[in-house]
């Protein structure tokens, strides 16, 4: 049975100031991005009227829909960019994911910067109605992985700030340019936000070891490197752990660095001084040392077997 989306949901929009006027905080800001469940940064909120309580669906101007399961906010300047769908009646979470999946499928090829999804466009959409009992096998492929998200065994009750220099040695990249090197087997890392930073494989001896993190200066995109590599001579930093870290730990710190990426662009690059001033908030164990076990457990609970205990699993 088909039903108009406006019969299922009422529309809402945000009222937070423009993105550049927000202050860092702990409330997710939903923006017109197709990644990270729509979250662009965490911001400070001074009034409860500026936040939205889950579960809700957000739809961006590109037609990308996400189910929001935590409190969030959006910006007033993005009224045409983010539409919040509030169920007119109580819905199970499966129904929200079912409708969200349909919106994404419908909008997959129909919307762009030139043809934006807005409330007028939403009003034209018919969705298959969620009805119970529902054959969950039909929706299973579109729901999040059923992993154990309980952090009961991962104590984050104690946190402390650590500077990046306490944990890593920071060095500039080194190597050569792709056009001046022959094809080979050594990954060449450049200032790109794709393909783990690799722009090609070259015939040159690697200068840096696997089990390190590379960061490009333009957008501060960080990647964990799983093979020995070299880089182009400019716009790349390499973080080498002062002590051996498991792969999950490297991804944890890589994630924390990526959270800072909204600050940087071609007009404001990540300098070495700015990089060295980055502060990590990390969990502590009972001895007041960094709780590496908690970090590893958290990532394995979130990503399952994709995160392994060894950084040397690849040649």
């Amino acid at each position: 049975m088909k039903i108009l989306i406006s019969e299922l949901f009422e529309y809402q929009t945000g009222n937070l100031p423009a993105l550049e006027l927000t202050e860092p905080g702990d409330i997710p800001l939903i923006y017109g991005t197709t990644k990270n469940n729509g979250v662009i940064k965490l911001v400070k909120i001074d009034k409860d009227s500026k936040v939205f309580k889950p579960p809700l669906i957000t739809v961006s101007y590109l037609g990308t829909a996400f189910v929001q399961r935590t409190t969030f906010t959006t910006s007033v300047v993005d009224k045409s960019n983010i539409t919040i769908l509030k169920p007119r009646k109580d819905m199970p979470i499966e129904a929200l994911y079912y409708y969200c999946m349909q919106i994404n499928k419908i909008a997959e090829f129909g919307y762009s910067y030139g043809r934006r999804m807005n409330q007028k466009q939403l009003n034209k959409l018919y969705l298959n109605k969620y009805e119970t009992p529902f054959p969950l096998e039909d929706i299973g492929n579109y729901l999040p992985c059923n992993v154990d998200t309980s952090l009961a065994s991962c104590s984050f009750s104690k946190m402390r700030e650590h500077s990046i220099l306490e944990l890593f040695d920071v060095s500039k990249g080194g190597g050569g340019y792709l056009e001046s090197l022959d094809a080979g087997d050594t990954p060449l890392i450049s200032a790109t936000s794709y393909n783990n930073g690799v722009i090609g494989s070259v015939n040159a001896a690697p200068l840096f070891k696997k089990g390190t993190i590379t960061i490009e200066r333009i957008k501060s995109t960080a990647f964990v490197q799983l093979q020995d590599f070299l880089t182009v001579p400019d716009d790349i930093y390499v973080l080498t752990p002062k002590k051996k870290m498991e792969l999950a730990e490297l991804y944890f710190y890589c994630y924390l660095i990526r959270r800072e990426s909204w600050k940087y662009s071609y007009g404001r690059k990540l300098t070495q001084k700015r990089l060295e001033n980055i502060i990590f908030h990390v969990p502590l164990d009972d001895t007041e040392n960094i709780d590496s076990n908690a970090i590893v457990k958290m990532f394995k609970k979130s990503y399952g077997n994709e995160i392994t205990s060894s950084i040397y699993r690849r040649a």
Side-chain angles (χ1 to χ4, degrees), residues 35-265:
K35 302 177 181 179
N36 200 33
N37 218 62
V39 179
I40 193 71
K41 62 183 288 193
L42 300 178
V43 298
K44 181 179 179 181
I45 299 298
D46 55 3
K47 294 181 180 179
D48 288 342
S49 61
K50 294 183 179 180
V51 299
F52 298 88
K53 303 295 184 180
L56 300 168
I57 293 176
T58 55
V59 185
S60 77
Y61 62 94
L62 294 175
T64 306
F66 294 108
V67 176
Q68 303 300 335
R69 301 185 67 169
T70 60
T71 299
F72 67 93
T73 188
T74 64
S75 184
V76 67
V77 295
D78 297 313
K79 282 190 173 181
S80 63
N81 290 351
I82 299 294
T83 300
I84 300 159
L85 304 185
K86 181 180 179 180
R88 294 187 180 276
K89 298 180 180 179
D90 288 342
M91 291 184 185
I93 195 68
E94 292 86 357
L96 290 176
Y97 278 110
Y98 184 57
Y99 292 131
C100 186
M101 176 269 291
Q102 292 184 69
I103 295 169
N104 282 320
K105 286 294 183 182
I106 292 171
E108 192 170 8
F109 300 105
Y111 300 93
S112 63
Y113 288 98
R115 185 175 184 266
R116 300 190 172 202
M117 172 70 83
N118 52 35
Q119 294 180 15
K120 183 178 180 180
Q121 296 292 341
L122 280 170
N123 279 334
K124 300 176 183 179
L125 299 187
Y126 280 87
L127 303 179
N128 292 319
K129 188 176 181 180
Y130 178 93
E131 296 178 322
T132 56
F134 189 83
L136 290 179
E137 61 271 14
D138 292 345
I139 191 176
N141 292 332
Y142 302 99
L143 292 175
C145 295
N146 185 21
V147 298
D148 180 10
T149 57
S150 170
L151 298 182
S153 60
C154 306
S155 175
F156 283 77
S157 58
K158 297 180 182 179
M159 303 284 286
R160 189 172 69 202
E161 293 183 347
H162 282 73
S163 74
I164 200 170
L165 293 177
E166 292 180 75
L167 302 169
F168 297 92
D169 292 319
V170 179
S171 58
K172 290 185 177 181
Y177 295 104
L178 183 64
E179 59 270 20
S180 63
L181 298 168
D182 295 329
D185 298 322
T186 301
L188 178 65
I189 309 299
S190 185
T192 176
S193 56
Y194 301 97
N195 199 32
N196 221 59
V198 179
I199 59 168
S201 297
V202 298
N203 184 20
L207 298 178
F208 303 97
K209 296 291 185 180
K210 58 189 174 183
T212 56
I213 295 174
T214 56
I215 309 171
E216 53 92 11
R217 294 180 59 207
I218 299 171
K219 295 183 179 179
S220 81
T221 307
F223 293 111
V224 176
Q225 298 302 330
L226 303 175
Q227 294 178 272
D228 294 347
F229 64 96
L230 50 77
T231 80
V232 296
D234 48 11
D235 281 336
I236 299 291
Y237 299 112
V238 179
L239 302 186
T240 304
K242 290 183 179 291
K243 297 180 180 179
K244 185 177 179 181
M245 293 182 181
E246 291 199 39
L247 186 60
E249 293 179 84
L250 291 171
Y251 279 115
F252 173 74
Y253 293 116
C254 190
Y255 160 75
L256 294 181
I257 294 168
R258 280 173 169 252
R259 285 184 58 182
E260 304 287 317
S261 63
W262 61 273
K263 300 178 181 178
Y264 305 106
S265 64

